[in-house]
Amino acid sequence: MPVLIFIDSAEGHVKKASLEVLTYGAKVAEQSGTTAEAVVLGTINEDLAALGKYGVKKIHHVKNEALDHLDAQVHTKVIAQVADAIKASVIIFSNNVDGKAIAPRLSVRLKAGLVSGAVALPDSSNGFVVKKNVFSGKAFANMAVSTPVKIISLSPNAYKIVAGEGTAEVVPFNATVDQARVKVINTTKASGEVPLTEAEIVVSAGRGLKGPENWGMVEDLGKVLHAALACSRPVADAHWRPHNEHVGQTGIAIAPNLYIAIGISGAIQHLAGVNRSKVIVVINKDPEAPFFKAADYGIVGDAFDVVPKLTASIKKLKGIA
Amino acid sequence: MKILVCISKTPDTTAKIAFTDNNTKFDTAGVQWIINPYDEWYSLVRALELKEADPSSTIHLVTVGGADADPIIRKALALGGDEAIRVNADSHDSYYIASQIAEIAKQGAYDLIFTGKETIDYNGSSIGGMVAELTDLPYVSLATKFEIAGTRATVTREIEGGEEICEVDLPLVVSCQKGVAEQRIPNMRGIMAARTKPLKAVEPVAADALTTVAGFGLPPAKAGVKLVDPDNVDELVRLLHEEAKAI
Ligand SMILES: Cc1cc2nc3c(=O)[nH]c(=O)nc-3n(C[C@H](O)[C@H](O)[C@H](O)COP(=O)(O)OP(=O)(O)OC[C@H]3O[C@@H](n4cnc5c(N)ncnc54)[C@H](O)[C@@H]3O)c2cc1C
Ligand SMILES: Nc1ncnc2c1ncn2[C@@H]1O[C@H](COP(=O)(O)O)[C@@H](O)[C@H]1O
């Protein structure tokens, strides 16, 4: 009864989130004395066998270009066919955009209990219990799954990618693929930028910056760190920055390695989206700003003074002229 | 057009998160309850706008919850919507909740079913997809825009680092997030009208729960912030590089 991992891709490329679930899934398989297999859908322009270094033994490739765009209904039926064929016991997704669309449908289709937003390996010392985030990262819950087949969707950035040795056996899988009812007519991507949910480092700024014309220094800092940019809600609401940069309870939830918050007060609704970041740096001129309580490092100072100095200092560290 | 909007009740965003009964229950003492922001601000308001554009439409609200959810659903009715259905069951299992909503959805033969992106307490992001599978309908998740022309919906959805526009024929299930609509504040007329709108409680259908909460916990507290002098930014960079290994 192998573990089945869904390898998510876009435009022929395997997403970083998939490397996390591959590493995680291999560990789940090892824990339960079974092997890790994976399924990938549509056109892939990468060497899939090389993904074996994350611990997966066999990859079922449903090479049908009708699957290049997401229709959760169609994708679910295809993944269910693979899961049935290999008698998967645990199925693993990333709790990213595609995972959120597919995993719940598959849960119904296979009548398999779903834990979404998992942050740790399952504990099978007493049943099958998976830790997940609840209350927007302010707490966690241990969820017990009672069905024979289980589905876990792993929170992005919650599990460290580990690459070892090995290659996977890639086998074609012949699945019945329904006609998609969701027709994708246009895709727009902010090119050359790091997607916020996948970024290791996020530089974020708030109302303390006074206006959109002052974002140049934030962009400069972002650039030297190869970081994605984010902002607080009032900043997006005032159209100083695009909506897709808004993080928090009602925006995007992120969990990067490093979150740098500039001129953000640290309201509870903001923290709800960023409190799973591993290291938090706060730059704020008000020593009483609530964000300092959630921070690892802080500078009490004026952003207009500190941020350019920070950028210069990082350039020095990295040897950038 | 018949629209079903799923409404859930969540603790206020500033509520203190604590647990009782040996960390197995959420401590509701002193908690203010609100309509889940995604349901209130985005899916419900977009449904109201669709009805304003086509007044022959009807909007039904559904919630799965105990009688303590009535004030929340009344508040939603004050914003708009024609009638509400409360399925009288208290559960935190997504499959169980989705099964109840799917039953209502099948009976009402809706053209459009809206959910929020996620509940801000259990953060499942699951109910919409489950309802869609149970009713055999297409599902577009994480919508940031929703337009309709005749029986065809044009939905913009989030993808990693961008957006995607898709077309789908009704009926369908959509989960809504920021962008779909702008938050509205209920007015006095709406609040008065909501008092007399039908809110019917129905008993749940038999359905399994596939998961249970074995226990809750709080994340470990931070060790405390290390403050660096604004005139010594190099020290911060050194700490981030050598101590935190974050850059
Ligand atoms: C239901 C609900 C949901 C919400 N969801 C979100 C959400 O998802 N995300 C979100 O961000 N907010 C959310 N909010 C809003 C949240 O409560 C705060 O209002 C918001 O986060 C404040 O944004 P801010 O920190 O940028 O602005 P402010 O609170 O105005 O803070 C600005 C900060 O900048 C500092 N500052 C000023 N000048 C300087 C300077 N020169 N140098 C350095 N620092 C300076 C100030 O000391 C202050 O701390 C939500 C609110 C509600 C009610
Ligand atoms: N008990 C409930 N009753 C009605 N709708 C719900 C309920 N729980 C969740 N929903 C809907 O499903 C969405 C996603 O919830 P979840 O999958 O729990 O994160 C919410 O935004 C609501 O629209």
Side-chain angles (χ1 to χ4, degrees), chain B residues 3-81:
Chain B
I3 309 172
L4 182 67
V5 180
C6 301
I7 300 287
S8 51
K9 160 179 158 267
T10 52
D12 174 40
T13 52
T14 57
K16 184 173 181 313
I17 307 302
F19 303 101
T20 61
D21 292 34
N22 203 12
N23 282 331
T24 55
K25 285 207 177 71
F26 174 57
D27 184 358
T28 56
V31 169
Q32 294 274 350
W33 296 92
I34 59 168
I35 311 172
N36 186 41
Y38 292 103
D39 308 347
E40 176 184 346
W41 301 357
Y42 309 127
S43 51
L44 177 55
V45 175
R46 190 66 192 124
L48 299 175
E49 291 168 354
L50 294 174
K51 181 168 165 134
E52 283 154 12
D54 171 11
S56 70
S57 300
T58 50
I59 300 175
H60 290 176
L61 314 182
V62 63
T63 195
V64 180
D68 55 351
D70 281 345
I72 292 301
I73 200 110
R74 281 271 178 234
K75 196 181 159 213
L77 282 171
L79 283 158

Side-chain angles (χ1 to χ4, degrees), chain A residues 168-219:
Chain A
E169 179 195 354
V170 181
V171 291
F173 187 96
N174 256 325
T176 312
V177 179
D178 290 351
Q179 176 94 37
R181 291 202 259 173
V182 176
K183 295 198 176 59
V184 174
I185 55 174
N186 189 28
T187 302
T188 45
K189 267 199 155 168
S191 62
E193 290 170 27
V194 193
L196 189 51
T197 46
E198 295 197 352
E200 301 272 345
I201 303 181
V202 174
V203 174
S204 185
R207 208 145 56 176
L209 259 69
K210 313 282 186 286
E213 67 281 4
N214 296 326
W215 246 261
M217 62 180 189
V218 179
E219 286 168 353

Side-chain angles (χ1 to χ4, degrees), chain A residues 220-233:
Chain A
D220 289 345
L221 178 59
K223 208 166 280 161
V224 295
L225 289 170
H226 298 291
L229 298 189
C231 66
S232 66
R233 180 168 147 224

Side-chain angles (χ1 to χ4, degrees), chain A residues 261-279:
Chain A
I262 305 162
I264 303 177
S265 57
I268 194 158
Q269 297 93 354
H270 183 86
L271 295 179
V274 303
N275 54 12
R276 289 189 302 108
S277 309
K278 291 204 181 71
V279 178

